[in-house]
Amino acid sequence: MRSVEPMQGYRPSERRRRSMLRRKEMPLWQELPLLLVVAFCLAVLIRTFLVQAFYIPSGSMEKTLLVKDRVLVNKVVYDLRDPVRGEIVVFRGTDNWAPEVTEPVSNSFAAKLGRTVGDLVGVSRPGERDFIKRVIGLPGDKVACCDDKGRITVNGVGIDESYIADGYNSDLSQPPNPSQCTSRRFAEVTIPDGEMFVMGDHRAVSQDARCQGPVPIKNVIGRAFVIVWPSSRFTSLSVPDVWKTYAADHPTAAAEGRVPVRRDNPATDALVLPFLLSAGVSARSGLLFVTRRRRLRS
């Protein structure tokens, strides 16, 4: 019986590589739609779990955010921690919150299709219950206006809000109105557990927690962290120094013994994020392979 000795220098990987090269290459007209589908699926996954672009429909955050600005919103940051005073957040309003998007919407097929696709990839206009405001008070805080300098107070401390430009503050002379935020003055509010007090930077027009009440922290969609469009206004949306100083001097009022607020099912993100990373690497590898093959053809 003859014995068979292994071939010298044989490497299975080389054999597989030669086999792949012998396969019939996919034509461009088939390859391009496949890449577009992969890119679309990645955009939907990123929009759903990581980052989403939001369109600013009103002037309630001027001059920090202008109408038609687009901001990127981090949707996972609050799975790791709670909101911080001074941050700009996107959230779903409660039934008490009146919609800010009042522009007429076309109901044509093309318009509906465009809105559907835009919503999937995260570049559409916000829904009528989506709002963007600045966090002013956290659970346990006592928020009121005004002190002798016309400033809002948090736990009795006046806040110098330099981001509110002249003419963008509400009127001190008007009496408080529980249904309209036309007055700068409002009675002291103690923020309930699990909720936050938010206000727009343009206090003269913003309809916010002054007259519509605090909102549940669980309703937060994410934190707005950068203006990406128009390109001339590209800038980060960091926490103003006045709030950093306040946080250092005055820790969260109800921090002791309070259960951190998280999404209903944070485990979902733990399962999806590795998949997103894997999909991103796979897509990148595929694009590199296509580019390399095109170069070899030329």
Side-chain angles (χ1 to χ4, degrees):
M1 181 176 180
R2 297 179 59 186
S3 61
V4 180
E5 296 181 357
M7 293 176 61
Q8 296 295 327
Y10 171 76
R11 289 189 299 173
S13 59
E14 292 183 356
R15 182 178 179 181
R16 287 197 297 269
R17 193 179 303 114
R18 289 195 299 268
S19 177
M20 290 176 60
L21 292 175
R22 286 196 299 267
R23 292 176 185 173
K24 184 178 180 180
E25 294 180 351
M26 183 182 294
L28 180 62
W29 66 269
Q30 292 180 349
E31 191 174 80
L32 184 59
L34 179 61
L35 291 176
L36 291 176
V37 170
V38 171
F40 179 79
C41 291
L42 283 175
V44 172
L45 290 172
I46 290 171
R47 177 261 188 210
T48 303
F49 297 103
L50 297 179
V51 177
Q52 183 175 355
F54 275 86
Y55 169 91
I56 306 302
S58 73
S60 67
M61 283 296 295
E62 293 178 345
K63 291 187 173 180
T64 305
L65 300 174
L66 305 181
V67 177
K68 296 184 180 180
D69 279 355
R70 288 190 183 273
V71 298
L72 291 185
V73 174
N74 184 332
K75 302 182 74 172
V76 298
V77 62
Y78 297 131
D79 286 337
L80 306 176
R81 63 170 177 83
D82 290 341
V84 173
R85 302 184 195 91
E87 290 181 328
I88 297 175
V89 297
V90 174
F91 61 92
R92 293 183 181 88
T94 64
D95 292 340
N96 295 331
W97 282 65
E100 287 187 332
V101 181
T102 57
E103 299 177 5
V105 177
S106 173
N107 289 319
S108 67
F109 174 78
K112 289 181 178 179
L113 179 61
R115 288 196 297 270
T116 300
V117 175
D119 184 62
L120 285 174
V121 299
V123 296
S124 64
R125 291 174 178 246
E128 65 176 13
R129 288 295 175 185
D130 293 342
F131 300 85
I132 184 166
K133 307 290 180 186
R134 190 181 299 274
V135 178
I136 302 296
L138 297 173
D141 284 342
K142 298 180 184 298
V143 182
C145 193
C146 305
D147 64 4
D148 55 358
K149 296 182 179 180
R151 304 173 299 181
I152 64 168
T153 62
V154 179
N155 300 319
V157 179
I159 307 297
D160 290 310
E161 298 179 281
S162 59
Y163 44 83
I164 297 180
D166 293 339
Y168 281 75
N169 224 328
S170 42
D171 193 351
L172 268 173
S173 63
Q174 291 209 25
N177 187 334
S179 60
Q180 288 289 327
C181 300
T182 52
S183 172
R184 199 185 314 181
R185 300 184 182 277
F186 60 91
E188 183 178 90
V189 178
T190 300
I191 314 305
D193 190 36
E195 298 189 359
M196 61 182 182
F197 194 92
V198 294
M199 300 176 71
D201 288 356
H202 192 172
R203 303 284 161 79
V205 301
S206 176
Q207 300 299 299
D208 47 44
R210 289 173 290 170
C211 57
Q212 304 194 93
V215 295
I217 295 178
K218 68 179 181 180
N219 283 19
V220 174
I221 296 172
R223 178 194 172 188
F225 65 95
V226 65
I227 301 173
V228 293
W229 190 261
S231 58
S232 60
R233 285 181 44 77
F234 182 87
T235 185
S236 63
L237 298 171
S238 58
V239 175
D241 290 339
V242 63
W243 289 111
K244 293 179 182 178
T245 301
Y246 181 90
D249 296 339
H250 305 83
T252 303
E256 295 183 1
R258 186 164 66 87
V259 177
V261 176
R262 298 288 183 261
R263 293 186 183 175
D264 294 336
N265 189 12
T268 302
D269 291 336
L271 293 174
V272 172
L273 290 180
F275 171 74
L276 280 175
L277 294 174
S278 175
V281 171
S282 299
R284 180 177 180 273
S285 300
L287 289 173
L288 289 175
F289 177 74
V290 172
T291 304
R292 191 183 305 116
R293 194 168 66 190
R294 297 300 175 201
R295 287 177 180 174
L296 289 174
R297 286 180 174 180
S298 61

